Amino acid sequence: MEQIVEPRKNKHLKNRSKHKKEIPTIAITDLDPIEIPHHFNLTHCPPTEFELSPRETEEVSLPSYLNSILADYDMATGGSPKSETLIRSRINVIILTTLAKMKREFVAKLGTSVASSTVSSTLLKSIHLKFERKVKFDWKSDNRLVKLSGVIDYSLSYGVPNTYATNMAIIEVERPHLLKRGMLHCLAYMAIIHETRKQSKARDKSVYGIATDSYEWVFIRIRPNGEWIEKTYNWAHSAQDIVSMLVKIFARAAGFNPQASYKRE
């Protein structure tokens, strides 16, 4: 008996140490969406005129083959209900063709400026989309420490992969009526990135996010001071604005000024 019973003092210290290390884990999708701004100390504000809108000089045409691909999708599905698979395939083709178009045309533009082309091309090539990025982050809210976990459907990465060198998170919304919920969960992921950028003393601490079912697109931004803004676009009526905003965010990650560097078609 004496050999298998620990001294009371040591057992107490061991249990206390074990208790201290245990942090409850909460999935971001389990958070009450309405409480997310409060949990992350974010203040909702209206956007300024061009904060989530492209200027005339920032307008970008759609990739030449994008409309035909989406038309083929519509023809193939024959008006069947919107499914998660269809939504994801539409999001994939929109963001991937837009990023490819930006890279292709920025490289062509850089070719005319030898002085800056080497550094800028390197930055441009470092941008890539990361799919299903897993996130874990210790967060203290209302004097309670928890470990938040989740998966960002799409994030924009640049520089060294698998770091928080990102300024954009995209969340896929499976049903139109879940758009607001998806937008607020996207805001939670953005808040984690925002806090990480603050801790790493990043030069630009602002973060962009998008919640979309591929038809409605909600663009979100967390300003460096913790204020957040949003603006919604409909693909049927504002496809060019959506593509232009995507390019604007992609370009910002690469350190470009799209107003000066991107040639409007």
Side-chain angles (χ1 to χ4, degrees):
M1 176 69 73
E2 188 174 349
Q3 292 178 346
I4 63 173
V5 176
E6 298 181 67
R8 183 174 296 178
K9 182 178 179 181
N10 290 344
K11 186 175 181 179
H12 175 71
L13 291 174
K14 185 176 180 180
N15 288 340
R16 187 172 64 180
S17 175
K18 182 179 179 182
H19 178 73
K20 187 176 180 181
K21 291 179 181 178
E22 289 179 351
I23 301 176
T25 298
I26 299 176
I28 288 175
T29 51
D30 287 340
L31 294 174
D32 181 352
I34 302 301
E35 293 296 320
I36 284 173
H38 164 73
H39 287 317
F40 293 97
N41 303 313
L42 301 173
T43 304
H44 192 213
C45 295
T48 58
E49 184 178 4
F50 295 111
E51 204 168 0
L52 290 179
S53 304
R55 299 174 185 272
E56 185 179 355
T57 51
E58 294 172 333
E59 291 178 358
V60 177
S61 63
L62 273 64
S64 57
Y65 42 85
L66 179 55
N67 274 333
S68 63
I69 294 174
L70 295 177
D72 283 349
Y73 283 5
D74 291 339
M75 181 180 292
T77 54
S80 60
K82 298 172 185 176
S83 67
E84 181 181 354
T85 302
L86 175 60
I87 287 171
R88 175 156 294 198
S89 65
R90 282 177 54 90
I91 296 172
N92 284 344
V93 75
I94 290 169
I95 60 177
L96 289 172
T97 58
T98 299
L99 180 56
K101 172 187 169 73
M102 189 203 82
K103 284 191 172 190
R104 189 181 304 113
E105 296 182 9
F106 268 24
V107 167
K109 179 73 174 177
L110 288 169
T112 63
S113 176
V114 178
S116 63
S117 61
T118 302
V119 174
S120 299
S121 292
T122 301
L123 288 171
L124 188 59
K125 290 175 182 177
S126 75
I127 299 176
H128 60 281
L129 282 166
K130 187 173 179 64
F131 299 84
E132 299 185 345
R133 170 180 280 183
K134 294 181 179 179
V135 174
K136 286 188 178 180
F137 193 79
D138 291 346
W139 187 264
K140 189 174 184 180
S141 178
D142 296 331
N143 296 318
R144 183 189 179 202
L145 183 64
V146 298
K147 184 180 291 294
L148 298 173
S149 67
V151 177
I152 304 176
D153 294 325
Y154 308 84
S155 59
L156 184 68
S157 295
Y158 49 90
V160 181
N162 300 319
T163 68
Y164 275 93
T166 182
N167 74 339
M168 186 186 76
I170 301 178
I171 295 300
E172 170 196 335
V173 179
E174 298 171 9
R175 297 288 182 272
H177 69 278
L178 296 176
L179 193 63
K180 183 175 181 180
R181 180 184 180 89
M183 181 269 291
L184 290 169
H185 282 143
C186 183
L187 187 65
Y189 289 111
M190 293 168 60
I192 290 172
I193 297 170
H194 175 67
E195 182 63 26
T196 305
R197 290 173 70 80
K198 284 200 302 183
Q199 292 178 8
S200 64
K201 303 188 186 303
R203 181 178 57 83
D204 183 4
K205 300 173 182 63
S206 61
V207 179
Y208 290 88
I210 302 169
T212 180
D213 64 354
S214 80
Y215 299 91
E216 297 285 336
W217 293 67
V218 183
F219 284 84
I220 318 157
R221 183 184 184 224
I222 296 180
R223 294 168 176 162
N225 63 0
E227 296 174 342
W228 70 280
I229 57 174
E230 58 172 307
K231 185 167 183 177
T232 302
Y233 293 94
N234 180 280
W235 182 263
H237 305 112
S238 307
Q240 185 176 18
D241 286 335
I242 292 168
V243 167
S244 299
M245 276 303 303
L246 286 171
V247 168
K248 186 174 182 176
I249 296 170
F250 294 160
R252 184 164 186 149
F256 285 85
N257 177 358
Q259 190 172 356
S261 304
Y262 205 95
K263 182 174 68 174
R264 186 186 175 194
E265 295 183 4

